[in-house]
Amino acid sequence: MYDMKRLGNLQTMGKLAPEVWEAFQRFDREALKDGAIPAKYKELIAVSVALTTQCPYCLELHRGRAIEAGANEREIAEAVFVAGALRAGAAITHGVHVCGDGKA
């Protein structure tokens, strides 16, 4: 099902709901542009988030944008491990709901 060509359907969606589409595009641009956090770091954050949400479209788009913003492969690799640590940490810390109440 995943195919970058399908992103062309965004244009159709945009025509069907133009106000919402334009608002989303503005929000996306504003959220990811240089600010207190430089765009390069925002794109590395986006890579990590895309790994945790497991969105292949976001992974491809934000990896490319991170590189365009000046990120290198080592920085991207570290962003991958940050995402992995957060996912693993969430599994471990959620373990408090199933383990440790003395009933096992």
Side-chain angles (χ1 to χ4, degrees):
M1 178 144 190
Y2 163 72
D3 184 348
M4 288 300 285
K5 292 176 191 168
R6 289 185 182 266
L7 291 181
N9 292 343
L10 290 172
Q11 297 306 314
T12 300
M13 291 169 49
K15 289 176 185 173
L16 294 169
E19 297 85 7
V20 178
W21 176 240
E22 290 169 17
F24 170 74
Q25 288 183 304
R26 276 193 313 275
F27 174 73
D28 192 62
R29 276 192 308 272
E30 289 298 315
L32 292 166
K33 74 179 186 180
D34 268 325
I37 300 171
K40 173 180 144 177
Y41 298 141
K42 288 182 179 185
E43 291 299 342
L44 289 168
I45 292 167
V47 168
S48 291
V49 171
L51 286 162
T52 60
T53 62
Q54 299 182 331
C55 175
Y57 298 103
C58 292
L59 284 170
E60 190 161 336
L61 291 171
H62 290 291
R63 180 189 183 279
R65 289 179 184 173
I67 290 169
E68 288 173 12
N72 60 45
E73 289 293 322
R74 184 171 179 193
E75 291 169 316
I76 292 170
E78 287 188 15
V80 169
F81 284 108
V82 168
L86 271 283
R87 285 187 64 107
I92 300 297
T93 57
H94 277 83
V96 301
H97 297 284
V98 297
C99 184
D101 62 5
K103 296 179 184 176

